[in-house]
Amino acid sequence: MQIVFVDANETLGGIATRLRDESWPLKINLQPDITPDQLPAVIGDAEAIIIDHTHLPLDIARACPKLKHVIFLGTGPRSYMDPDALKAELGIEVHIIKGYGDTAVAEFAISLMWTAAKGIALMDRGMREGQWLRTDGMQLTGKTLGLIGFGSIAAEVARIAGGSGMKVVAWNRSPKSHPGVDFLSLEEVLGQSDVLSIHLLLTDETRGFLSAERLAQMKPGSILINTARGAIVDEAAMIARLKSGELRAAGLDVYNIEPMPAGHVLTTLPNAVLSAHSAFRTAEANDNLILMAFDHYKRVSGLATVPA
């Protein structure tokens, strides 16, 4: 089964080259900025593709008649394609990769929390501009961290936060239990959390989940952390609350539009800590990601029996 890694950057392309089996019909296209209209020419007659974070509209996929499998490097393909329509209309199966970077993302969420709580990014920007800018930080020991959604990443966040002396509470759509975590109603988590961290997959049900109404239920002066997907949060309502100070700060790795357009209002807010959708990017997670993508390829091509 022919397979193309359509949008490999230098790092992931190098890892794929190092870890691949030379007998596989794998083409690695080093073009991380490829546009959707360029995909059919790159995909050609391939039956499977590995795709990082490039949009795959239905009409583009329709121009690739041999394509049957899309291996998406992550867990949030709905930000870039419509898996249901691809399956229903074209018979294309979209495969996701779970668990490859749980620790990496959890550590990043914690980093955003500490940076936002202490005003580090604001002071760093001021120092670079020649200002001796001091801020009063929030002490996190003894504070309450709320987790919205409780999968493997949230469990890692809970482990790290609990070890630093924070109380951890959580809400999940289905009943859960976990050592050191109190599971509460959504309203209780929103109202009690000094820091709220989002850990939901983006689906039709979770799009806009943290609405203006739910943001208004958050504890005044709390911090919002989002390493999940930007569309889970009502961005305009979040910005309004950051401007008013009802939200003390936000630490964001994901946005409604990626890459973030130049001059976006979030870049003007001193209490917004911003990173470029990079929470999952560590050497360890990258190796896991490519190995798990290859496991999917071996499974769908019949080279090996590997769990989905």
Side-chain angles (χ1 to χ4, degrees):
M1 178 182 288
Q2 294 183 8
I3 181 170
V4 181
F5 189 165
V6 297
D7 56 353
N9 59 36
E10 185 175 348
T11 298
L12 294 182
I15 294 170
T17 299
R18 170 167 55 86
L19 297 178
R20 67 180 293 183
D21 185 317
E22 289 297 332
S23 67
W24 296 346
L26 169 64
K27 174 185 174 183
I28 300 172
N29 183 51
L30 291 171
Q31 193 179 357
D33 57 351
I34 191 171
T35 57
D37 62 290
Q38 295 173 312
L39 287 173
V42 171
I43 294 170
D45 290 332
E47 298 160 88
I49 63 171
I50 297 171
I51 192 164
D52 189 5
H53 287 81
T54 299
H55 290 271
L56 180 63
L58 197 62
D59 61 324
I60 297 296
R62 192 173 282 113
C64 308
K66 297 288 186 68
L67 184 61
K68 294 301 176 188
H69 297 280
V70 173
I71 301 168
F72 180 77
L73 294 182
T75 58
R78 291 180 187 275
S79 296
Y80 301 92
M81 61 194 74
D82 186 337
D84 298 328
L86 288 170
K87 177 66 174 178
E89 298 189 29
L90 302 176
I92 296 173
E93 190 81 29
V94 177
H95 309 270
I96 63 174
I97 300 176
K98 299 179 181 179
Y100 69 93
D102 292 351
T103 298
V105 176
E107 289 180 350
F108 205 94
I110 293 289
S111 298
L112 286 173
M113 175 180 73
W114 282 91
T115 301
K118 304 301 182 183
I120 294 171
L122 178 62
M123 287 189 285
D124 178 79
R125 290 193 295 269
M127 294 285 285
R128 292 174 190 275
E129 295 171 357
Q131 305 173 34
W132 188 251
L133 182 62
R134 287 174 164 175
T135 64
D136 292 329
M138 174 193 289
Q139 182 168 298
L140 292 173
T141 299
K143 296 296 193 299
T144 297
L145 169 64
L147 305 173
I148 301 297
F150 199 87
S152 52
I153 293 173
E156 276 288 275
V157 172
R159 177 185 64 82
I160 299 168
S164 66
M166 297 188 76
K167 177 183 178 182
V168 182
V169 299
W171 172 86
N172 195 62
R173 285 180 289 174
S174 57
K176 285 257 180 117
S177 62
H178 192 81
V181 179
D182 292 331
F183 285 84
L184 307 174
S185 70
L186 178 59
E187 291 74 18
E188 288 173 318
V189 171
L190 293 172
Q192 294 181 21
S193 300
D194 299 290
V195 181
L196 188 73
S197 188
I198 307 299
H199 298 283
L200 294 170
L201 289 177
L202 179 62
T203 66
D204 291 340
E205 290 73 32
T206 62
R207 188 176 298 274
F209 180 86
L210 202 59
S211 60
E213 292 75 19
R214 285 175 173 156
L215 285 166
Q217 295 176 48
M218 290 178 63
K219 188 175 182 178
S222 57
I223 295 171
L224 177 64
I225 304 297
N226 191 3
T227 54
R229 284 293 183 271
I232 293 170
V233 179
D234 183 326
E235 186 176 89
M238 175 187 68
I239 289 170
R241 296 187 75 81
L242 284 168
K243 286 181 175 180
S244 71
E246 292 164 299
L247 273 178
R248 177 189 178 97
L252 308 172
D253 188 50
V254 288
Y255 311 93
N256 282 353
I257 301 174
E258 296 182 5
M260 176 183 283
H264 192 286
V265 64
L266 281 168
T267 66
T268 69
L269 302 182
N271 53 347
V273 179
L274 311 175
S275 56
H277 202 153
S278 297
F280 59 95
R281 295 175 67 90
T282 66
E284 295 83 356
N286 285 339
D287 274 13
N288 290 340
L289 181 65
I290 297 302
L291 283 170
M292 294 169 81
F294 285 168
D295 281 347
H296 276 291
Y297 167 67
K298 288 188 289 184
R299 179 175 56 81
V300 300
S301 64
L303 291 172
T305 301
V306 180

